[in-house]
């Protein structure tokens, strides 16, 4: 009998597009501005929330995530106003998870306390490395002492917190990474995100890499670093519940699980994406990326997105597999049927599926399709074959 995965929930994502500086590896929608009209931005965020509340009335909100950019540069009053508007326009789940991304350079005790008072109950810190040389290479504005100080402050202020690290940096060895990760475990309580450095077009690192001035670890070494990460964190009681995210049981990011389980979520702010099921059809929303254009559109029209794009059932199946196979739990076949009206054999290349199962990259049961540890390490190739 087919089993259903846990309810993916219904999330709200708020994008704050501003940073103090642009990191050389970052391809997120982030911008540096000398001056920000906080009152104007607060009003625009509230107005776009109202637009989506009208379309999704009655949905119960299970998580809110302030991302960016650097949302810890927001005024706490803006966070409070956004959360008050959400509670006024939607039913809110008991134990609502409310996460704010923060950088150590924008962290101070009084501001953290003000964010907590505004309703934040979880923070995600952009630490990225724990040694000064690596932080300088990554273009971060904080040093290692500020990083560990910010983690300690988060632990004192919030019930839940996480922080990010980046590995597979130039010249990094497995031994050095294991030592850094071991140090990180002195601070990681419930959740740790660990990302492999990749070079994205449009970033400052891209031309350096193209000219051979920035050389990343080769594929074999990157694989060894990945394996070392998972082995060490498993032994420490922080297994990977998703390719790059590790948590003790019950400490997983509920908001990100909504994405990976292909649940619905509202995206508010410049460049924010959303997925909304309306009258049985699924739609993709995306706001204009440029902050000033988004702001003008919201003030004029009440929202900053283009007309939502309908996602056909084949595309829904592909998106669900691309997201869900990132998770250790995999994808419930009942969810595929719910989203597409069809089961696994009718959605993928059957011969490729057989090869991937026999090769040890995928596991199939009557209830679930999941990627093995080896499959998740090579997920792009697995998906390329499966969805060809």
């Amino acid at each position: 009998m087919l089993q259903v995965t846990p309810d993916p929930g219904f999330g709200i994502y708020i994008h704050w597009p501003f940073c103090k500086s642009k990191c050389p590896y970052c391809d997120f929608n982030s911008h540096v501005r000398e001056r920000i009209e906080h009152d104007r931005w607060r009003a625009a965020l509230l107005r776009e929330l109202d637009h989506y509340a009208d379309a999704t009335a009655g949905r119960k909100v299970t998580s809110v995530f302030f991302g960016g950019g650097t949302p810890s540069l927001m005024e706490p009053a803006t966070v409070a106003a956004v959360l008050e508007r959400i509670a006024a326009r939607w039913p809110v789940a008991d134990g609502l998870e409310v996460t704010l991304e923060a950088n150590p350079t924008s962290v101070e005790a009084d501001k953290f306390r003000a964010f907590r008072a505004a309703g934040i109950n979880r923070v995600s810190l952009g630490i990225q490395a724990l040694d000064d040389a690596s932080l300088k290479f990554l273009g971060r504005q904080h040093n290692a002492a500020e990083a560990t100080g910010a983690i300690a402050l988060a632990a004192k202020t919030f019930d839940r917190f996480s922080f990010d690290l980046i590995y597979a940096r130039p010249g990094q060895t497995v031994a050095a990474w294991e030592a850094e990760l071991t140090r990180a475990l002195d601070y990681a309580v419930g959740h740790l995100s660990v990302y492999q450095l990749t070079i994205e077009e449009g970033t400052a690192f891209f031309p350096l890499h193209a000219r051979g001035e920035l050389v990343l670890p080769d594929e074999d070494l990157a694989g060894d670093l990945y394996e070392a990460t998972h082995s060490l964190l498993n032994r420490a009681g922080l297994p990977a519940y998703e390719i790059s995210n590790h948590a003790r049981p019950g400490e997983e990011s509920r908001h990100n699980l909504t994405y990976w389980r292909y649940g619905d979520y509202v995206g508010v702010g410049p460049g924010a994406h959303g997925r909304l099921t309306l009258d049985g059809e699924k739609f993709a929303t995306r706001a204009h990326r440029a902050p000033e254009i988004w702001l003008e559109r919201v003030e004029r029209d009440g929202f900053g997105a283009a007309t939502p794009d309908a996602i056909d059932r084949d595309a829904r199946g592909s998106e669900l597999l691309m997201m869900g196979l990132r998770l250790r739990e995999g994808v419930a076949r009942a969810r595929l049927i719910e989203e597409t009206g069809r089961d696994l054999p009718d959605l993928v290349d059957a011969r490729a599926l057989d090869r991937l199962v026999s090769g040890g990259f995928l596991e199939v049961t009557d209830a679930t399709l999941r990627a093995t540890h080896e499959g998740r390490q090579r997920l792009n190739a697995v998906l390329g074959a499966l969805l060809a």
Side-chain angles (χ1 to χ4, degrees):
M1 186 175 186
L2 293 180
Q3 300 174 353
V4 179
T5 54
D7 183 350
F10 177 66
I12 297 179
Y13 174 77
I14 310 294
H15 190 79
W16 184 256
F18 303 116
C19 286
K20 286 186 175 180
S21 63
K22 184 77 172 178
C23 295
Y25 57 86
C26 177
D27 67 338
F28 293 165
N29 188 34
S30 59
H31 307 264
V32 178
R33 297 289 187 270
E34 290 186 7
R35 182 174 176 270
I36 299 167
E37 297 178 83
H38 285 274
D39 290 347
R40 190 179 174 196
W41 275 87
R42 183 181 308 130
L45 292 172
L46 297 179
R47 190 167 185 200
E48 192 167 59
L49 276 171
D50 284 336
H51 167 76
Y52 286 111
D54 290 340
T56 59
R59 297 292 301 271
K60 181 177 285 188
V61 177
T62 54
S63 65
V64 180
F65 196 102
F66 293 86
T70 307
S72 49
L73 296 175
M74 299 172 74
E75 292 182 344
T78 299
V79 171
V82 165
L83 294 176
E84 288 169 6
R85 185 62 56 90
I86 289 170
R89 295 302 311 268
W90 285 276
V92 172
D94 293 336
L96 178 72
E97 178 187 87
V98 186
T99 302
L100 178 91
E101 290 183 332
N103 281 336
T105 49
S106 62
V107 166
E108 56 188 59
D110 286 346
K111 197 168 188 182
F112 257 16
R113 284 192 289 267
F115 281 130
R116 185 186 64 187
I120 299 297
N121 54 33
R122 181 178 182 271
V123 292
S124 179
L125 293 166
I127 299 301
Q128 315 311 3
L130 290 175
D131 70 273
D132 290 344
S134 294
L135 288 168
K136 183 176 180 179
F137 161 74
L138 291 169
R140 306 299 285 166
Q141 300 298 303
H142 62 275
N143 59 34
E146 289 171 324
T148 55
I151 297 170
L153 182 58
K156 291 178 181 177
T157 310
F158 299 96
D159 294 334
R160 300 173 64 210
F161 72 93
S162 177
F163 60 93
D164 299 352
L165 295 175
I166 293 175
Y167 72 98
R169 307 187 296 259
Q172 191 172 41
T173 65
V174 172
W177 172 234
E178 287 178 331
E180 185 174 1
L181 201 52
T182 298
R183 186 180 175 208
L185 287 169
D186 291 337
Y187 302 95
V189 174
H191 192 286
L192 184 65
S193 299
V194 187
Y195 301 105
Q196 182 174 332
L197 178 62
T198 57
I199 306 300
E200 305 293 344
E201 191 169 0
T203 66
F205 275 169
F206 187 80
L208 297 177
H209 184 258
R211 294 195 299 266
E213 297 174 26
L214 191 162
V215 180
L216 299 184
D218 62 25
E219 187 174 320
D220 288 341
L221 178 53
D224 290 343
L225 291 164
Y226 177 90
E227 292 293 343
T229 301
H230 284 253
S231 177
L232 198 158
L233 293 181
N234 271 331
R235 293 197 305 270
L238 289 165
Y241 67 98
E242 188 269 346
I243 289 174
S244 301
N245 286 272
H246 300 251
R248 300 190 191 281
E251 287 297 321
E252 299 87 354
S253 167
R254 299 170 208 160
H255 185 84
N256 287 337
L257 281 172
T258 291
Y259 298 154
W260 295 319
R261 289 172 175 163
Y262 204 52
D264 280 9
Y265 59 97
V266 166
V268 170
H273 292 251
R275 290 291 184 275
L276 297 175
T277 304
L278 305 171
D279 298 323
E281 296 296 321
K282 199 140 195 162
F283 294 89
T285 66
R286 181 177 179 177
H288 200 286
R289 287 176 59 88
E292 289 75 18
I293 294 176
W294 174 86
L295 187 61
E296 291 170 0
R297 288 187 177 182
V298 173
E299 290 176 336
R300 184 189 68 205
D301 303 325
F303 59 95
T307 301
D309 293 321
I311 308 173
D312 66 36
R313 289 190 174 268
D314 285 346
R316 287 164 73 166
S318 295
E319 287 190 346
L320 196 160
L321 290 170
M322 285 189 287
M323 299 302 286
L325 288 177
R326 298 181 64 87
L327 291 169
R328 185 177 55 191
E329 69 186 33
V331 175
R333 293 171 69 168
R335 282 286 288 132
L336 283 172
I337 295 170
E338 180 183 351
E339 288 286 347
T340 70
R342 292 184 289 165
D343 197 4
L344 188 61
D346 300 318
L347 289 169
V348 300
D349 184 314
R351 288 179 295 180
L353 178 61
D354 288 342
R355 290 196 303 271
L356 291 165
V357 170
S358 62
F361 302 109
L362 291 175
E363 294 176 347
V364 182
T365 69
D366 289 342
T368 306
L369 171 69
R370 65 180 295 272
T372 64
H373 173 77
E374 291 75 15
R376 290 195 299 277
Q377 185 179 3
R378 303 163 179 84
L379 190 58
N380 286 342
V382 169
L383 289 168
L386 192 64
L387 300 175

